[in-house]
Amino acid sequence: MNHFNFQFQKRYVGLWHLPDNANCKFSGTLFIESETIFIDLFFQDSSVTLPEYLESLHGSTFSVNEGSKEEYLEHIILKGLTFLYIKNFGNGLKHLKYEVKELIIHDNISDFDNIRQVSLRLPILDKWTNSILCDAYKDLKNDKVPDYIKFICFEAPCQYILYSSEDVTISIYFSYSCSYGSKDKHIIQKTFLNFNFKKRQSFYNAQNIITEYIYLLFLLINREFTPHHIRFFTNDGSYVYMINSKASFKFINEYPDLCSYTELKDFTQSDIHSIFDKWTSFYKEQSDAINTYYETSSNQYLPPSSQIRNYISFIDSVTKSMKGKNAIIHKESRRYKWAQMILEKTVSCLSKSEQNELEQALLYSKGTQLKPRFEKLIEEVKDLLPNSVNNDFIEKIINTRNVITHPNTNEDYILNNNEYEDAIYKLTQIIRSFLLRRIGVNNPEIKKIISF
């Protein structure tokens, strides 16, 4: 399996069998499309019936690279197959179609856990490390040839260590291929994000570690992306993994020439180590909140109301340890109007001191409530935000979240539906500003990423 040039083909044709019955084979074609994976199976054995859900299906297939026309033999395991339809032909031939949740192309191995390394091909990293890739080419002086003849020396970059701990080392590996044809002479460089585990990891744990640091790259590059492919290395070989986008709950628009807002050169290596270290600590404390944020932002099909609810949940979670100021509640809120009505009705039957106590109880919010905590978070990043992120915005967005979560809430001071998109944009900017500052990113880099 050529890791440098690997790409998933649109179809894989071959013979398939259930894991516990290798002698009973079905002809079939696996199809990989932009938002789904499915397989067509054909067989004529009337004694064979397949259930509506298959845990796994194994296959030996061949595929053809549409560009180079090369043919490949592939060993494939499919997982989580859900029945779509069956068609019976007159001669006993059956055609079954299943949607596939997960796909593994492997080196004929049996051990899919005990993972020692994972390598991700991320084309966006080519843009993020552009200056390093360009510095690999250097002019070479030669006094024996005329000045109009230029010699260029290529020296492949060394791997760049992003983070190292007692559990994992994360690095960017720079790979290249050369062509020395009579007419076509070129060098192609590609970057790979490598995770080298100090202790062998299960597939599940390795996935969680990858997700943690992919989210950090989402934040630093200010782009959300999906890997071109992910390769797992175990003791007895390697395999490439793909999940059906429907099952991943990540729906990210893919653009071939997506650029990054920052470059790796914007950070010193010491900065990078510190940022990764602080992210690791913060993610350990707030993994649920961070996962909620990125699972929301990377799913373009979520309705605006769900996005608002989830983003406010993130803010609620990360500010639990904060305490804001005790302050009077917003005068446009339903609670304020209700409190004023109570105070007016009790003015004749309470003493002045009793009225003051009741006013404090009804009209003032405690610093531990969500709104004062949200205001405290805003204080940390107010120099990065526009004036429109103010007390009115905070009141409206919290009230809106409450109405979305509890539809029977009788609150008037909320966002109109046509204000949702702008509010979502502001919330994502607030959250990313907070995260960037919390992990120690310097202001010039934050302002490259956060712009209103």
Side-chain angles (χ1 to χ4, degrees):
M1 194 185 303
N2 186 333
H3 189 36
F4 185 86
N5 289 320
F6 178 86
Q7 57 182 338
F8 288 102
Q9 304 305 315
K10 291 182 178 179
R11 63 186 65 189
Y12 294 86
V13 180
L15 296 174
W16 306 83
H17 64 86
L18 297 172
D20 57 353
N21 191 358
N23 294 323
C24 181
K25 291 183 168 59
F26 319 111
S27 298
T29 303
L30 176 72
F31 295 88
I32 300 178
E33 298 184 353
S34 59
E35 291 191 358
T36 190
I37 306 170
F38 66 90
I39 186 169
D40 283 325
L41 295 175
F42 297 88
F43 60 93
Q44 209 166 12
D45 189 341
S46 59
S47 65
V48 175
T49 57
L50 293 177
E52 65 181 37
Y53 180 80
L54 295 172
E55 286 190 9
S56 65
L57 194 66
H58 294 211
S60 295
T61 71
F62 79 90
S63 63
V64 179
N65 186 307
E66 292 185 354
S68 65
K69 302 303 180 184
E70 291 182 81
E71 293 189 1
Y72 302 100
L73 172 65
E74 308 284 14
H75 300 283
I76 296 179
I77 295 176
L78 306 179
K79 292 187 175 183
L81 290 83
T82 303
F83 174 75
L84 296 178
Y85 73 74
I86 183 171
K87 187 171 184 180
N88 293 299
F89 296 91
N91 58 358
L93 181 65
K94 295 181 180 180
H95 170 208
L96 284 83
K97 185 173 183 176
Y98 285 85
E99 187 169 40
V100 177
K101 180 181 178 181
E102 297 172 291
L103 159 67
I104 292 171
I105 300 177
H106 62 96
D107 297 331
N108 200 20
I109 64 174
S110 57
D111 181 12
F112 295 92
D113 274 324
N114 295 306
I115 294 165
R116 58 182 177 82
Q117 180 184 346
V118 181
S119 185
L120 291 80
R121 170 63 183 139
L122 301 171
I124 191 72
L125 282 188
D126 297 347
K127 305 288 180 66
W128 200 50
T129 61
N130 181 62
S131 61
I132 296 176
L133 296 177
C134 290
D135 287 345
Y137 301 96
K138 298 177 176 63
D139 290 332
L140 190 64
K141 300 295 183 183
N142 191 325
D143 297 334
K144 296 181 180 180
V145 298
D147 290 341
Y148 61 84
I149 298 178
K150 299 291 185 183
F151 285 89
I152 298 176
C153 172
F154 172 76
E155 185 176 344
C158 298
Q159 71 170 340
Y160 188 103
I161 305 296
L162 297 169
Y163 176 69
S164 187
S165 70
E166 62 183 15
D167 299 316
V168 64
T169 295
I170 305 171
S171 63
I172 298 175
Y173 177 73
F174 300 91
S175 186
Y176 68 94
S177 68
C178 304
S179 174
Y180 302 108
S182 57
K183 293 182 179 179
D184 183 16
K185 297 179 176 66
H186 63 256
I187 295 173
I188 297 175
Q189 296 190 79
K190 293 181 180 179
T191 54
F192 296 83
L193 184 66
N194 284 357
F195 293 76
N196 290 283
F197 301 113
K198 309 295 176 65
K199 299 177 182 177
R200 298 295 185 263
Q201 299 290 332
S202 68
F203 175 79
Y204 176 79
N205 286 342
Q207 283 278 52
N208 286 343
I209 294 169
I210 292 167
T211 297
E212 174 182 348
Y213 294 101
I214 286 293
Y215 286 164
L216 175 56
L217 289 178
F218 282 1
L219 183 64
L220 295 178
I221 296 174
N222 199 27
R223 293 291 194 188
E224 294 177 357
F225 48 82
T226 53
H228 181 275
H229 64 270
I230 306 175
R231 188 174 184 182
F232 294 82
F233 296 84
T234 65
N235 291 330
D236 63 345
S238 66
Y239 60 93
V240 175
Y241 172 82
M242 172 187 274
I243 186 169
N244 190 325
S245 61
K246 294 179 183 179
S248 72
F249 303 105
K250 290 182 174 64
F251 298 96
I252 300 172
N253 283 324
E254 297 290 341
Y255 300 100
D257 295 317
L258 200 65
C259 67
S260 62
Y261 278 65
T262 62
E263 286 192 47
L264 183 55
K265 70 175 183 179
D266 294 331
F267 310 89
T268 67
Q269 193 155 24
S270 176
D271 288 339
I272 284 291
H273 291 169
S274 175
I275 287 166
F276 270 74
D277 191 51
K278 289 177 180 177
W279 174 264
T280 302
S281 298
F282 190 67
Y283 187 87
K284 187 175 182 180
E285 296 172 5
Q286 296 290 348
S287 58
D288 289 341
I290 294 171
N291 290 345
T292 295
Y293 172 69
Y294 280 109
E295 286 167 5
T296 302
S297 66
S298 61
N299 188 343
Q300 61 180 316
Y301 296 122
L302 270 184
S305 57
S306 296
Q307 295 178 57
I308 289 173
R309 183 183 62 236
N310 292 351
Y311 291 152
I312 295 298
S313 293
F314 170 92
I315 291 167
D316 188 19
S317 177
V318 299
T319 60
K320 286 292 186 186
S321 61
M322 297 182 184
K323 184 176 181 181
K325 298 177 182 177
N326 293 348
I328 192 166
I329 59 179
H330 199 281
K331 293 185 177 181
E332 296 296 327
S333 68
R334 178 175 177 270
R335 178 182 165 187
Y336 183 88
K337 295 171 184 176
W338 172 81
Q340 287 288 12
M341 180 187 68
I342 297 296
L343 291 170
E344 288 172 6
K345 288 183 176 182
T346 57
V347 67
S348 60
C349 56
L350 296 176
S351 67
K352 188 67 175 177
S353 62
E354 288 173 332
Q355 280 185 312
N356 288 338
E357 287 181 17
L358 184 60
E359 184 176 305
Q360 286 288 327
L362 296 179
L363 291 180
Y364 285 79
S365 62
K366 295 180 180 179
T368 54
Q369 293 177 336
L370 175 56
K371 185 188 175 186
R373 288 188 282 116
F374 194 169
E375 291 171 342
K376 185 80 171 177
L377 183 150
I378 294 295
E379 279 293 312
E380 290 189 17
V381 294
K382 66 180 180 180
D383 57 310
L384 302 169
L385 305 176
N387 293 332
S388 57
V389 179
N390 53 27
N391 188 54
D392 289 345
F393 172 78
I394 294 172
E395 180 72 25
K396 274 191 173 183
I397 198 71
I398 291 176
N399 291 343
T400 302
R401 190 286 297 260
N402 292 341
V403 170
I404 291 169
T405 306
H406 308 287
N408 293 325
T409 303
N410 186 14
E411 178 60 72
D412 299 325
Y413 196 65
I414 59 175
L415 296 170
N416 297 320
N417 287 350
N418 61 1
E419 297 176 296
Y420 278 16
E421 291 296 337
D422 180 65
I424 289 167
Y425 174 68
K426 287 175 180 172
L427 285 173
T428 61
Q429 300 293 69
I430 291 166
I431 290 169
R432 285 181 292 150
S433 297
F434 168 76
L435 288 173
L436 289 163
R437 184 150 285 174
R438 184 54 62 99
I439 62 176
V441 177
N442 295 323
N443 270 8
E445 283 67 56
I446 295 179
K447 289 178 179 178
K448 280 188 175 182
I449 297 169
I450 307 297
S451 57
F452 282 90

